[in-house]
Amino acid sequence: MTSIVKPRIVHHGLSRNRLGLTIRDYEGGMSTLCAGCGHDSVTAAIIQALFELAVPPHRVAKMSGIGCSSKTPAYFLGASHSFNAVHGRMPSIATGAAAANRELYLLGVSGDGDSLSIGLGQFAHAVRRNIDMLYIIENNGVYGLTKGQFSASADIGTAAKRGEVNEQPPIDPVQLTMALGGTFVARSFSGDKDQLVPLIKAGMRHEGFAMIDVLSPCVTFNDHEASTKSYQYTREHSHEVMHTDFVPPMPGIRVAYEEGEVVPITMHDGSRLLLRKVSDDYDPHSRGAAIEYIRTHQRKGEIVTGLLFVDESEPDMHGINSTTGMPLNELGFRSLCPGKRRLASLQRRYR
Amino acid sequence: MDPTKTEGTEYFHRVVDCQWACPAHTDVPEYIRLIAQGRFTDAYMLNRESNVFPGILGRVCDRPCEPACRRGRVEDKAVAICRLKRVAADNRDDIRDRLPQAPHVSNGKRIALVGAGCASLTVANDLIPLGYECVIFEALDTPGGLMRTNIPAFRLPASVLDEEIAYIVDMGVDLRLSHPIESMRALLEEDFDAVFVGSGAPKGKELRLPGRDDTDRIHIGIQWLESIAFGHVSSVGERVLIIGVGNTAMDCCRSSLRLGAKDVKVMARKPRAFFKASDWELEDAEEERVEIVVNHSPRAFLIEDGKLVGMKFDVVEYEFDDRGAIRDSRIVDEATFPCDDVVLAIGQENAFPWVERGIGIEFDKWDVPIVDETTYESTLKGVFFGGDAAFGPKNIIWAVEHGHQAAISIHKYCEGLSLTDRLPRGVNLTTAKMGIHEWSYSNDYDPAGRRIMPHVDLRKRFRKLNIEVELGFTADDAAAEVERCLNCDLQTVFAADLCIECDACIDICPVDCLTITHNGDADSIEANLRTARLNAEQALYVSGPLKHTSRVMVKDENLCVHCGLCAERCPTGAWDMQKSTVVIPYASDEASRDQQLCQITRKAG
Ligand SMILES: Cc1cc2nc3c(=O)[nH]c(=O)nc-3n(C[C@H](O)[C@H](O)[C@H](O)COP(=O)(O)OP(=O)(O)OC[C@H]3O[C@@H](n4cnc5c(N)ncnc54)[C@H](O)[C@@H]3O)c2cc1C
Ligand SMILES: Cc1ncc(C[n+]2csc(CCOP(=O)(O)OP(=O)(O)O)c2C)c(N)n1
Ligand code: SF4
Ligand code: SF4
Ligand code: SF4
Ligand SMILES: [Mg+2]
């Protein structure tokens, strides 16, 4: 008998995090994606990052839409909350969840189809509202789940498995998010966990909307020679401009780095990002220059990766709207439902 | 690092930890799978090929395979390999028609074998089917050697011994019982083409202390056990002290209980970590309420009115270094233990009073014959040694392995061929992929714990000397235990040119033993492993450069549970699970090679 389910083996080499959990405690059900799908690697990177951050699994709400990518929340953090929304509608569900419980870590996983084709309108507003969440787009240039049609992120000139060539210009989620005022914008590759894991940690800790566009090849429908989203093409054309190391809050401990080469960024919870410039001419704090840089390199066929823009000073949705500091489910009945008289007085104000 | 060489035999054989550790290289995972399929007879025959005595060894083998078992590293307890061997033996059908037979005509060569222990019996087992006439001379009136005379019947029933010895004797051994060889010189003058000495290490060590010769209640362990086995001793005093904590001591203390002793103490000079006895023998003795007293070094036997009344000991305190080795010791006290009998179980030695010096067989400074470790030939051509007689006391499975190797040498010697030009071992690999999501073995990891061997009730087991204590696994035990085997012979075989570095294998591996990293020296590779390297004796596989990034695939063999998921999830088939079969040559393989060579030369001529 053959079993294709990953067995749970607590072996002697396993380490434990601050909560006493092993990485096994951050895993989920067995993936039903195609063997070799980039999405599975992103899943593994998420598991690794959350294990290292020692996030309590039950404090996370996983949000997704429809697509192979959107299926992946079933494959990590088995012991957390989850909502699998209709196609392209995850951002509004996430907005509601964020409004209701600001203490949950919201982790959205979507696809290029889910976020840039059918769900583009929803996505744009989540960025605009600066919802406090990590939003990962597993970008493979196709609708994997429906067998490989081009998505809105397909590049001009890339060919489908059967040979037809895409003629329409792509939507680049990175440039789009920056243009919409996104406060944490990154791009990475499923095949580069050294880069991706710290980005996920940083995105989890960012207060506001953190978008990571992860190039994540569809091994079944978009990994051939004429594809611009294959493993090989992505490896050959990606170009890291800004490497990020994530340093959790460690009171009293100074982190050593060489002045000038490394830009430190302190986050709201005291953790720090050490941005190491791989390209001298890149500035992750200037929205305009960053977009210009990415466009220029895009024209040369280069895929710019790393933490491309970050701004820790913008308020998130709760800050903008001065909402209550507590999750709604922790407010007492009287504050949530102040009674007829208060309702009547509220209504009088609008008469 | 350079890419690891997996061609040849060594790499993949080593991965099968149990088979590598077994002196006779028993194909453990394959026989366990046969048991899992209910093919007990096939499992028995596969065992017999290498270890010759599966029923015996399924009870009393020293089982070096078990400490080596990977399962014991992944969790805490090894697979009950030895117990499963007994399952095959207990449930087999009549196998006599599957045994090799002597050809109708002999090849005209006669071999003399001294002693009918497991070593000589193995030589006969291998040579008779090739047409050799094997004459075994045995001093006692029954065959089996120490397996009969020293291993007590409550561990190894006579019927099991009789049956497995008969398989060999019935092939046509000329067994001359009660026929001690008293002169090697005389034997060499007889009409034999080669001589094999399998006479064991028959001398028990003495303990020369005051009072030793003033009583007849001090016994030498191995002689005493032999006397019990033959019914010459049938009782012992109420209080017995056993000196030494090896396996012989365990058999002596447990035998004492069966002869009527009420208070049995095993006296150890050192702390528990230094005991020579196997863990399971210690456990079994302690289950029978034998007390083990540590840190007592014998000083004198106490005799009153010509009667043994007790023993005096020095109480020793030890100091240890960081590694736990003894750095220093001092005597802190003395203690007296009253007793009626003392059994000395402090070791065994070789003794060859019947081998004349100066006839070409050279002895070293410990008076042990000089024997070649590959060919088992002594310094006299045509005279071979094996078993305890060769390199001092070991165990049955080593004696069997010596027997196989000596048989090869004897055959080559008789054919006039070079003894050192031996067939090499080999490894055959065949893919285990049967279809989509289908592999040819049960790959699931079953977290079940090791099954416990059921024992005869403590109140019942002492009634007779020969009540076998271990009852054998039940069908349920066996069915659960076989699933604990990790199938280490299903090898992960990597083809670097197929890998697209998608990480699927790395992500799925349940024990995190795979890593893709930049190549470098051993230290830098080790530093980048996903799981720290816990066991430097286990191989680290390093692939050639991968085609996209020139990085390398690294696998730490230590904890791999051979689940096959890396191959299952690999989109390109870069990982494949392949069943390995280690090919171990026996005398019969050498003989068929000789025959083929003969035919080739004849054709050429
Ligand atoms: C108490 C005890 C318990 C043991 N328990 C275990 C165990 O649980 N598991 C295990 O694997 N091993 C065990 N051993 C070790 C094991 O029994 C031996 O290693 C093994 O039997 C060696 O086999 P052999 O064929 O070399 O010699 P032996 O078994 O010693 O056989 C030698 C034979 O040669 C005969 N012989 C000797 N000299 C002559 C002569 N001149 N002419 C004719 N015949 C002669 C002897 O009578 C004997 O029958 C134990 C040993 C002892 C002492
Ligand atoms: C409303 C609606 N329209 C269309 C579909 C069909 N559909 C399912 S998945 C999918 C595209 C998913 O693409 P993407 O988000 O890129 O995910 P991938 O499978 O590539 O990871 C589409 C169009 C649907 N399920 N629901
Ligand atoms: S179809 Fe593509 S995206 Fe979907 S699981 Fe398969 S490889 Fe991944
Ligand atoms: S067979 Fe493959 S996946 Fe399974 S433990 Fe071994 S290396 Fe890991
Ligand atoms: S799954 Fe196969 S192709 Fe992917 S990294 Fe592993 S060996 Fe390479
Ligand atoms: Mg897609």
Side-chain angles (χ1 to χ4, degrees), chain A residues 118-140:
Chain A
I118 193 170
L120 186 66
Q122 297 242 329
F123 174 74
H125 287 281
V127 179
R128 178 180 152 264
R129 291 188 173 120
N130 205 18
I131 309 292
D132 184 12
M133 73 181 297
L134 170 60
Y135 195 106
I136 293 175
I137 298 179
E138 298 181 349
N139 189 348
N140 54 16

Side-chain angles (χ1 to χ4, degrees), chain B residues 480-509:
Chain B
E481 192 62 36
V482 288
E483 289 301 328
R484 297 185 71 238
C485 171
L486 298 174
N487 302 290
C488 298
D489 59 338
L490 276 118
Q491 308 279 355
T492 55
V493 180
F494 187 67
D497 54 330
L498 294 179
C499 176
I500 56 168
E501 301 172 52
C502 69
D503 279 3
C505 52
I506 313 240
D507 298 337
I508 196 72
C509 177

Side-chain angles (χ1 to χ4, degrees), chain A residues 2-3 12 24 40 193 235, chain B residues 73 439 443 501 507 510:
Chain A
T2 305
S3 166
H12 291 311
R24 297 282 101 85
D40 279 333
K193 291 203 185 72
R235 279 209 171 89
Chain B
R73 296 197 297 273
W439 299 90
N443 68 331
E501 301 172 52
D507 298 337

Side-chain angles (χ1 to χ4, degrees), chain A residues 33-34 37 39 68 140 144 218-221:
Chain A
L33 301 187
C34 305
C37 177
H39 301 352
C68 298
N140 54 16
C218 169
V219 74
T220 301
F221 297 112

Side-chain angles (χ1 to χ4, degrees), chain A residues 33 37 39 65-72 86-89 110-118 137-153 216 218 221:
Chain A
L33 301 187
C37 177
H39 301 352
I66 297 294
C68 298
S69 37
S70 294
K71 283 169 71 179
T72 63
V86 282
H87 203 11
R89 269 60 180 172
S110 178
D112 41 326
D114 194 59
S115 289
L116 305 177
S117 300
I118 193 170
I137 298 179
E138 298 181 349
N139 189 348
N140 54 16
V142 288
Y143 303 157
L145 191 68
T146 54
K147 295 200 180 297
Q149 302 85 349
F150 290 126
S151 77
S153 73
S216 173
C218 169
F221 297 112

Side-chain angles (χ1 to χ4, degrees), chain B residues 147-446:
Chain B
M147 300 191 292
R148 169 101 50 198
T149 60
N150 265 245
I151 300 184
F154 59 82
R155 288 206 291 129
L156 177 58
S159 58
V160 175
L161 257 179
D162 291 341
E163 203 171 12
E164 291 191 330
I165 292 175
Y167 290 154
I168 298 169
V169 173
D170 292 350
M171 283 179 199
V173 175
D174 183 353
L175 178 62
R176 314 247 177 112
L177 295 174
S178 308
H179 195 309
I181 297 296
E182 269 140 17
S183 160
M184 178 62 110
R185 191 192 301 270
L187 183 65
L188 291 173
E189 276 161 15
E190 285 185 46
D191 177 26
F192 288 108
D193 294 279
V195 172
F196 176 79
V197 180
S199 57
K203 209 170 107 194
K205 281 196 186 147
E206 255 303 347
L207 184 61
R208 286 270 140 231
L209 289 176
R212 170 65 184 95
D213 298 325
D214 305 335
T215 168
D216 59 357
R217 301 295 288 267
I218 300 170
H219 319 281
I220 294 202
I222 63 168
Q223 283 157 18
W224 189 64
L225 287 170
E226 181 175 324
S227 306
I228 297 170
F230 289 132
H232 305 319
V233 166
S234 54
S235 67
V236 73
E238 281 212 353
R239 298 162 307 172
V240 182
L241 295 182
I242 315 287
I243 310 301
V245 246
N247 287 339
T248 304
M250 294 303 110
D251 284 337
C252 291
C253 66
R254 297 178 71 194
S255 295
S256 306
L257 291 171
R258 285 156 177 83
L259 294 180
K262 296 277 177 298
D263 172 8
V264 183
K265 290 190 171 63
V266 173
M267 307 301 296
R269 239 160 25 88
K270 292 182 184 171
R272 198 167 181 109
F274 297 85
F275 290 2
K276 289 220 175 90
S278 325
D279 289 341
W280 58 90
E281 298 224 35
L282 288 164
E283 270 169 35
D284 290 348
E286 289 184 318
E287 175 186 304
E288 296 183 355
R289 318 266 153 81
V290 169
E291 190 187 339
I292 300 178
V293 181
V294 297
N295 300 351
H296 279 63
S297 180
R299 219 184 47 222
F301 300 99
L302 301 178
I303 314 281
E304 276 172 23
D305 305 330
K307 194 169 162 265
L308 177 74
V309 293
M311 251 190 104
K312 195 179 238 177
F313 295 86
D314 286 334
V315 183
V316 191
E317 204 175 77
Y318 295 92
E319 251 178 60
F320 308 96
D321 65 14
D322 307 341
R323 297 230 202 90
I326 291 176
R327 193 169 48 195
D328 202 4
S329 68
R330 59 183 164 273
I331 297 166
V332 290
D333 203 355
E334 60 171 40
T336 301
F337 285 79
C339 66
D340 305 308
D341 286 87
V342 170
V343 184
L344 302 176
I346 50 177
Q348 249 173 289
E349 287 167 335
N350 291 70
F352 298 95
W354 55 279
V355 179
E356 294 84 350
R357 309 298 133 123
I359 55 172
I361 301 175
E362 281 171 36
F363 287 73
D364 66 14
K365 58 181 169 188
W366 296 284
D367 219 23
V368 177
I370 295 168
V371 177
D372 185 279
E373 286 182 23
T374 310
T375 63
Y376 296 84
E377 196 176 27
S378 69
T379 51
L380 184 60
K381 295 246 161 304
V383 177
F384 300 85
F385 283 71
D388 288 357
F391 308 112
K394 283 196 171 155
N395 56 33
I396 301 170
I397 190 67
W398 268 115
V400 168
E401 174 59 9
H402 292 178
H404 284 313
Q405 295 307 324
I408 292 175
S409 298
I410 291 170
H411 168 69
K412 295 197 150 275
Y413 176 78
C414 291
E415 294 284 308
L417 301 168
S418 154
L419 301 193
T420 48
D421 173 28
R422 301 163 96 87
L423 277 175
R425 285 186 212 147
V427 171
N428 291 336
L429 291 167
T430 33
T431 183
K433 189 152 182 76
M434 305 296 283
I436 296 174
H437 305 320
E438 213 184 329
W439 299 90
S440 67
Y441 67 109
S442 163
N443 68 331
D444 199 8
Y445 184 89
D446 187 338

Side-chain angles (χ1 to χ4, degrees), chain A residues 207-236:
Chain A
E207 205 173 272
F209 194 83
M211 195 286 296
I212 310 179
D213 173 35
V214 186
L215 294 162
S216 173
C218 169
V219 74
T220 301
F221 297 112
N222 207 8
D223 193 40
H224 40 270
E225 275 192 6
S227 160
T228 59
K229 294 248 181 329
S230 65
Y231 280 105
Q232 185 152 12
Y233 187 94
T234 309
R235 279 209 171 89
E236 282 168 3

